[in-house]
Amino acid sequence: MSPTQWDLPVELCCRPMAFVTLTGLDVVYNAVHRAVWDAFCANRRADRVPISFKVLPGDHEYPKCRPKRTSYEWYIPKGILKTGWMNKHLNLVPALVVVFYELDWDEPQWKEKQSECATRVEIVRQSLQGRNTKVAVVLIQKKTPLPPGEDVIASERAAALCNACELSGKSLFVLPHTDHLVGYIIRLENAFYEHAQTYYYTEIRRVKSHKEFLNKTTHQLLFVRHQFKIAFFSELKQDTQNALKNYRTAYNLVHELRAHETNILEIKTMAGFINYKICRLCFQHNTPLDAIAQFRKHIDLCKKKIGSAELSFEHAAWMSKQFQAFGDLFDEAIKLGLTAIQTQNPGFYYQQAAYYAQERKQLAKSLCNHEASVMYPNPDPLETQTGVLDFYGQRSWRQGILSFDLSDPEKEKVGVLAIQLKERNVAHSEVIITLLSNAVAQFKKYKCPRMKSHLMVQMGEEYYYAKDYTKALKLLDYVMCDYRSEGWWTLLTSILTTALKCSYLMAQLKDYITYSLELLGRASTLKDDQKSRIEKNLINVLMNESPDPEPDCDIFAVKTAQKLWADRISLAGSNIFTIGVQDFVPFVQCKAKFHAPSFHVDVPVEFDIYLKADCPHPIRFSKLCVSFNNQEYNQFCVIEEASKANEVLENLTQGKMCLVPGKTRKLLFKFVAKTEDVGKKIEITSVDLALGNETGRCVVLNWQGGGGDAASSQEALQAARSFKRRPKLPDNEVHWDSIIIQASTMIISRVPNISVHLRHEPPALTNEMYCLVVTVQSHEKTQIRDVKLTAGLKPGQDANLTQKTHVTLHGTELCDESYPALLTDIPVGDLHPGEQLEKMLYVRCGTVGSRMFLVYVSYLINTTAEEKEIVCKCHKDETVTIETVFPFDVAVKFVSTKFEHLERVYADIPFLLMTDLLSASPWALTIVSSELQLAPSMTTVDQLESQVDNVVLQTGESASECFCLRCPSLGNVEGGVATGHYIISWKRTSAMENIPVIRTVITLPHVIVENIPLHVNADLPSFGRVRESLPVKYHLQNKTDFVQDVEISVEPSDAFMFSGLKQIRLRILPGTEQEMLYNFYPLMAGYQQLPSLNINLLRFPNFTNQLLRRFIPTSIFVKPQGRLMDDTSIAAA
Amino acid sequence: ISDVPIYEADLSVVKKKDISEHLSQFILHQSLDTVDELVWRSSHMYLKTIDSFNNYSVSAYCTPGHIKFLLLYKNKNYINDNLRSFFEIVHENYIRVLLNPLYEPNGIIISSLFDQNVHLAAKKFLHQ
């Protein structure tokens, strides 16, 4: 029995194509023939007609046709389908035989050639006797033929040739051997295809015609056979719809056959074949659901047709094959463009196939467990004379026997034995693994990770059965972490158990230990007795002894394994195994916890290591060491069995090295941090726990960071969420879940014991040298050294502030841009206990706003920690926010000489500049001096003397000055004329003598200057007296380059009488001045309106009296007539 | 981490089984693939029979909080309504468990009342 017995025959699985043979071609020696043949075979793409060609010699013997049966009455069929039938019609019996013959129409020896051709045709006909195979002749010609009808000789000779060969005109073709060979060939083969279709059509008719002779009792098998043949011929004819229809009918007929133990295999085989064809065609027609439905029906119908119980593994094998074949079909359809989905993909069929393969293996194991002494029967009952069976699915020792009774029970027994013995040699695991890996590939493709995992577990187990432990471990190891991360502990335990067996059988020490560790751990669902056994084995292994074999292992494999283990023991070296625990769940749990998130450098760093064992029996460890990111600390954190240096451990008694199941063991470590590590993080990088010792075997469990394994992060999450109250434990014990890993701590500097005070008078004034007094006092018990001060603008603020802030220690000179914003590490010296020092700091702030200032004092001090002398660097810092404000506001205004507000000034006419300095400082200010720097365009009328020198201004007080200026005519200046700068020198009144004066420069506003054509000013006394003459002189200046016509009139007033020109018209030459003299005589006392002077310029209508009023007074104070004796006193006043 | 089992119960009346505990878990575990797929396609909580493995079938139910209930059974043609009713009762009881302030969400359900009610529901709808 070959392992491929269950495979479907090739001729069933291929796509049937019309079979056409070509004769008369010498493809070896004749280049023309070779070219013709190549054109037929090369590039057979989908657009060419489906024909399979074969070159045969002209005298080839085709399979003989059996004589036609005239009556079926006495005919009893021996089986359903002959094994050779499909192959015969695919590859042996052609639908059309083509005779190639080289013959041109103008052949001189036409007669001879014609008869030779006829003979060749005759020979072919002879060997096809009785068959309906068509014959066609192709004339290979050297000349290109003329268009039909033009070559008279050709048509004559063609007719003659047809006649001689007994061919119809449709079967004679001409193949000119010219450039367009491929084109001619394609036309030829299309014609051949038509002939072939006709042939298969007649074949179908022929088979159908047999039907009427059949009767239901004796010819049941023939019904199936004929139906199958019709369907197969339809397929050859490329009529897939009818083929499918006929296959379906055939399928139903197969199941109508009377089934018995003796013929059940044949029925199933045929049902399988037909089912395969149906499913294949359904996929081809793009109706995958029909295919699936058919397949389900098929399985339902055949599932129970097990047949002989002794050979039930055959049924399983057959079932497996059905699923596999369907899976293949499905997969092939997908490759051709069908889309599958997660819930319906080929993977399921492969998986099912694997399942039946497993069942086959089970059945084979129980049915084929013959003694070794049972010999394979001789002669072999499975041998047949021809080497093959006559009919599909029959038993070789009783071929063609249709009786349901076993004529020869002895022969049957021998046959069954032979099959069973053959089955024993089948590599079942290999079959199963192949199917499983097919399924895995599919599930991977359709994103079913869990299905994939499960199948991989099955593969792993199958490898285990197949004794390929390496592969088994590889697969199991791969899926283990999936189940571990999803927390399906039962499944993990099951996989681990198999993995442990594998590692035992291979004596893989490290794997064996790893799996044992996890099987003893809290993730394992094993019973305690199992755990005990594993723990005992683990301890044995650690003591360099062999472990006991795992239960249910193959006896021979155990024997081999025991030898391997013995070798391992004798082998020296490499007995330390380091196992990283972060990827699994070992039976010892570990958590590290620093007592605090930070430690001062002068106190010892303390942390606890918590250990807990989950195994059933206490276990000793030999060494525990902790590693840090700074490896220098590692030496302080080791516990060793033999170690006598136990000072670092509190309460270390004998038995501390022993872990009691379920109890949390706490180990305290402490060490002094290095002063270089101030400001750094100390991190536990790993915890190593050694089990066993170096003389035997030693396993080092390595926790990365502060402990925790594959399951602990989830547990921690659960514990954190939990509201559950934990039962009270004795004082020295803790709940495992309540311990939170803290694997790192900061080393921070020693707490400073000094005080830093700042004294100053906020706010700071812009640009002043602001004084900040720093007082440092030591409260340390011993002398402090190397005191250093860093002070200034706190870094990290706005970059502009750094540009506009300057710090210095010397207040006597003004800072400029070159001074830094922060003074660093100013050495201050040493301080004795209680001593105090003061340092003055000057800050100059160029802009207003708030600034943060930092004062940072650092020093060194000698101290002891854990009886160890260390030099600590301490520091204290103070920050202060200082607001900077303007010391004063300066307001400037222009007024006329009459103190009237001026929008603009008039060229050459004096005006007043008034400055108003309002103190905004909360502290008293001293105005040292002020200065007016005029722009070149301005001139002064009188002396520019400061009027506010050494004035002290309190908050809210103001100091004003007034300057009389004149602006010469400049013509029209856009945007006004620059006035100049006003410079104020000032300081705080409270500031010391040596503090420099600050000069604040105020840019004065521009002023608009306007030219006027006529300037009038009046000369008059400051007051008048009733009934005393009051002389008034008006000066009229022509400021233009023209002669001006001026109309002047004076309007009378009630308060005055006057003499002088009341109305006059005159001319003033350019640049000259005209004087008008009036004598006013006041009549009333008090503030009186003067008689108003009206001037009208004919050239400048814009020159109004309103403008005029600006220059000349409009009223005057008139004193009452005094008594003579009082005159002197008034004059004195 | 998704799909960690939080409650398991053996509801069978026949104590003899032809399937090991871990195989049944394997079947349930792999059926989660299908649940993951179907959950987004169905608007119902009861997802009917979602998977079958040889003679075993798996029915599933997924709560709005994506707690999945899976039922593995053999060779039984349960009426869909019965399965649905069973799952609904389990769901109701699960909500009661959730309401308990001492229950940690996604933690193992240890309530004996829940266990008892699940068994009662099984008796009523599945063991007729």
Side-chain angles (χ1 to χ4, degrees), chain A residues 527-569:
Chain A
K527 297 275 183 305
D528 264 359
D529 56 333
Q530 288 293 313
K531 285 192 176 181
S532 292
R533 188 181 59 74
I534 292 170
E535 188 176 357
K536 203 180 116 225
N537 278 336
L538 179 65
I539 290 169
N540 277 344
V541 170
L542 291 178
M543 288 163 73
N544 209 9
E545 286 167 23
S546 293
D548 289 341
E550 289 300 306
D552 309 324
C553 282
D554 184 77
I555 303 159
F556 299 106
V558 167
K559 288 235 168 70
T560 325
Q562 277 166 338
K563 264 193 213 102
L564 284 171
W565 280 102
D567 291 349
R568 287 269 187 282
I569 290 164

Side-chain angles (χ1 to χ4, degrees), chain A residues 342-343 351-352 355 448-451 454 457 483 485-488 490-491 494 714 718 721-724, chain B residues 1-5 21-23 25-26 29-30 32-34 36-37 41 51 53-54 101 104-107:
Chain A
Q342 192 202 49
T343 47
Q351 185 192 11
Q352 209 60 25
Y355 167 74
C448 306
R450 301 186 188 94
M451 301 255 189
H454 182 197
V457 171
Y483 290 104
S485 65
E486 293 210 343
W488 289 63
T490 315
L491 301 183
S494 148
Q714 201 193 342
Q718 281 293 328
R721 281 195 204 148
S722 175
F723 297 109
K724 214 178 280 171
Chain B
I1 304 163
S2 61
D3 301 333
V4 177
E21 195 201 342
H22 66 262
L23 181 56
Q25 284 217 7
F26 270 124
H29 183 257
Q30 73 166 25
L32 283 172
D33 277 339
T34 322
D36 282 350
E37 175 83 6
R41 284 206 241 134
D51 198 9
F53 188 83
N54 307 332
E104 310 145 17
N106 300 328

Side-chain angles (χ1 to χ4, degrees), chain A residues 719-769:
Chain A
R721 281 195 204 148
S722 175
F723 297 109
K724 214 178 280 171
R725 205 176 60 195
R726 302 190 174 88
K728 194 149 173 60
L729 285 182
D731 279 347
N732 54 348
E733 284 181 44
V734 280
H735 274 287
W736 185 258
D737 287 342
S738 65
I739 304 163
I740 295 159
I741 294 173
Q742 161 106 46
S744 66
T745 191
M746 283 289 288
I747 299 302
I748 52 177
S749 56
R750 182 175 170 277
V751 186
N753 202 1
I754 55 166
S755 57
V756 177
H757 286 293
L758 300 178
R759 210 171 68 235
H760 60 119
E761 296 175 324
L765 305 176
T766 318
N767 282 332
E768 77 164 327
M769 298 296 282

